[in-house]
Amino acid sequence: MLDINRMPVHVAIIMDGNGRWAEKRKLPRVMGHNAGMKSMTEIVRRASDLGIKYLTVYAFSTENWKRSKEEVSGIFKLLVKYVDLELDELCRNNVRVRIFGDYEGMGEAVKDRLDKTLGDTKDNTGLEFNICLDYGSRDEMTKAVRAIAREVKDGELKSEDITEETISAHLFTGLAGVPDPDVIIRTSGEERLSNFLLWQCAYSEMIFTPVLWPDYTPEEFEKSLEEFQSRDRRFGGRKETK
Ligand code: IPE
Ligand code: IPE
Ligand code: MG
């Protein structure tokens, strides 16, 4: 049983398996992404109902540009559809939306809709829903290093004062005040991070489920959270023994 008093503060999800879900049904890949958006809607709703503070999802990676133009533009169109359909409900549920990554390259129409969503939800105080778009952890770290180097050059920071906290604070997560994820869930049976939160995952619990993202229901989500609650997190320490 899920213990509502021991919920993770920050849940991160690699939403994978849309393409395989579509292929299994002999449908075009974009139909898989469409089904995946529906899963995302339901998981956001459930995360908010469960009182989770931060939910970060991996929606499009810096490497996903390698896919066909048709698939990439299909994903962006679906994203716009998602925010248009869900914005009212997100606001009603007091959800704040943020984007981690550069969505500049996704075209004006996408950028406008996303900017509106960020603006309209910026004062909401409930679930903080972070969508990683054109996100790559190495890109995020590179940007952080550049920003830190600039501060050193401008005399705002001494190189010997750079700590782990300095680095964390310059990542998209740190800049937004989002803590490291307690748990990273990846659907579809793949067991790798694919350039997701490589710095922040130092002590995250990893949960891999074979369920394809479009089949990942709120019930499956609760199962993953139960598995998280069964884990023994030690952070390098050890339990007191008699
Ligand atoms: C995840 O599903 C969504 C994105 C990466 C955009 P995939 O499209 O990677 O689905 P599979 O892995 O091919 O099944
Ligand atoms: C990771 O999935 C990125 C997203 C879910 C957005 P991919 O499907 O792109 O990752 P690989 O290629 O299997 O590692
Ligand atoms: Mg994939």
Side-chain angles (χ1 to χ4, degrees), residues 23 36 97 123 213 218 239:
E23 276 155 32
V97 181
D123 296 323
W213 177 249
K239 279 207 178 127

PDB file of all heavy atoms in Angstrom, residues 23 36 97 123 213 218 239:
ATOM      1  N   GLU A  23       4.103   0.962 -33.000  1.00  0.00           N
ATOM      2  CA  GLU A  23       4.517  -0.108 -33.927  1.00  0.00           C
ATOM      3  C   GLU A  23       3.731  -1.399 -33.662  1.00  0.00           C
ATOM      4  O   GLU A  23       3.295  -2.071 -34.588  1.00  0.00           O
ATOM      5  CB  GLU A  23       6.020  -0.369 -33.802  1.00  0.00           C
ATOM      6  CG  GLU A  23       6.854   0.599 -34.653  1.00  0.00           C
ATOM      7  CD  GLU A  23       8.273   0.780 -34.123  1.00  0.00           C
ATOM      8  OE1 GLU A  23       8.830  -0.187 -33.551  1.00  0.00           O
ATOM      9  OE2 GLU A  23       8.816   1.907 -34.268  1.00  0.00           O
ATOM     10  N   GLY A  36       0.955   8.946 -25.678  1.00  0.00           N
ATOM     11  CA  GLY A  36       1.873   9.291 -24.584  1.00  0.00           C
ATOM     12  C   GLY A  36       1.483  10.596 -23.899  1.00  0.00           C
ATOM     13  O   GLY A  36       1.609  10.734 -22.684  1.00  0.00           O
ATOM     14  N   VAL A  97       3.976  25.272 -14.272  1.00  0.00           N
ATOM     15  CA  VAL A  97       4.721  24.593 -15.344  1.00  0.00           C
ATOM     16  C   VAL A  97       6.037  25.333 -15.598  1.00  0.00           C
ATOM     17  O   VAL A  97       6.075  26.563 -15.640  1.00  0.00           O
ATOM     18  CB  VAL A  97       3.903  24.546 -16.657  1.00  0.00           C
ATOM     19  CG1 VAL A  97       4.673  23.819 -17.758  1.00  0.00           C
ATOM     20  CG2 VAL A  97       2.551  23.868 -16.423  1.00  0.00           C
ATOM     21  N   ASP A 123       2.432  31.817 -10.861  1.00  0.00           N
ATOM     22  CA  ASP A 123       2.161  32.102  -9.441  1.00  0.00           C
ATOM     23  C   ASP A 123       1.503  30.927  -8.720  1.00  0.00           C
ATOM     24  O   ASP A 123       1.141  31.041  -7.548  1.00  0.00           O
ATOM     25  CB  ASP A 123       1.278  33.353  -9.325  1.00  0.00           C
ATOM     26  CG  ASP A 123       2.016  34.588  -9.850  1.00  0.00           C
ATOM     27  OD1 ASP A 123       3.242  34.684  -9.629  1.00  0.00           O
ATOM     28  OD2 ASP A 123       1.368  35.431 -10.501  1.00  0.00           O
ATOM     29  N   TRP A 213       5.242   3.710 -22.208  1.00  0.00           N
ATOM     30  CA  TRP A 213       4.693   4.943 -21.629  1.00  0.00           C
ATOM     31  C   TRP A 213       3.188   5.122 -21.891  1.00  0.00           C
ATOM     32  O   TRP A 213       2.439   5.447 -20.963  1.00  0.00           O
ATOM     33  CB  TRP A 213       5.508   6.166 -22.073  1.00  0.00           C
ATOM     34  CG  TRP A 213       4.928   7.431 -21.558  1.00  0.00           C
ATOM     35  CD1 TRP A 213       4.320   8.409 -22.269  1.00  0.00           C
ATOM     36  CD2 TRP A 213       4.854   7.841 -20.167  1.00  0.00           C
ATOM     37  NE1 TRP A 213       3.882   9.409 -21.424  1.00  0.00           N
ATOM     38  CE2 TRP A 213       4.192   9.078 -20.137  1.00  0.00           C
ATOM     39  CE3 TRP A 213       5.269   7.269 -18.953  1.00  0.00           C
ATOM     40  CZ2 TRP A 213       3.939   9.776 -18.949  1.00  0.00           C
ATOM     41  CZ3 TRP A 213       5.016   7.948 -17.767  1.00  0.00           C
ATOM     42  CH2 TRP A 213       4.362   9.185 -17.780  1.00  0.00           C
ATOM     43  N   PRO A 218      -2.090   5.758 -14.008  1.00  0.00           N
ATOM     44  CA  PRO A 218      -1.874   6.231 -12.630  1.00  0.00           C
ATOM     45  C   PRO A 218      -1.693   5.068 -11.645  1.00  0.00           C
ATOM     46  O   PRO A 218      -0.958   5.194 -10.670  1.00  0.00           O
ATOM     47  CB  PRO A 218      -3.142   7.031 -12.334  1.00  0.00           C
ATOM     48  CG  PRO A 218      -3.567   7.541 -13.679  1.00  0.00           C
ATOM     49  CD  PRO A 218      -3.253   6.424 -14.632  1.00  0.00           C
ATOM     50  N   LYS A 239      23.125   2.031   8.617  1.00  0.00           N
ATOM     51  CA  LYS A 239      22.166   2.008   9.717  1.00  0.00           C
ATOM     52  C   LYS A 239      22.881   1.707  11.016  1.00  0.00           C
ATOM     53  O   LYS A 239      23.833   0.922  11.034  1.00  0.00           O
ATOM     54  CB  LYS A 239      21.126   0.925   9.440  1.00  0.00           C
ATOM     55  CG  LYS A 239      20.079   1.403   8.497  1.00  0.00           C
ATOM     56  CD  LYS A 239      18.789   0.651   8.730  1.00  0.00           C
ATOM     57  CE  LYS A 239      17.721   1.186   7.806  1.00  0.00           C
ATOM     58  NZ  LYS A 239      17.110   0.128   7.042  1.00  0.00           N
TER      59      LYS A 239
END
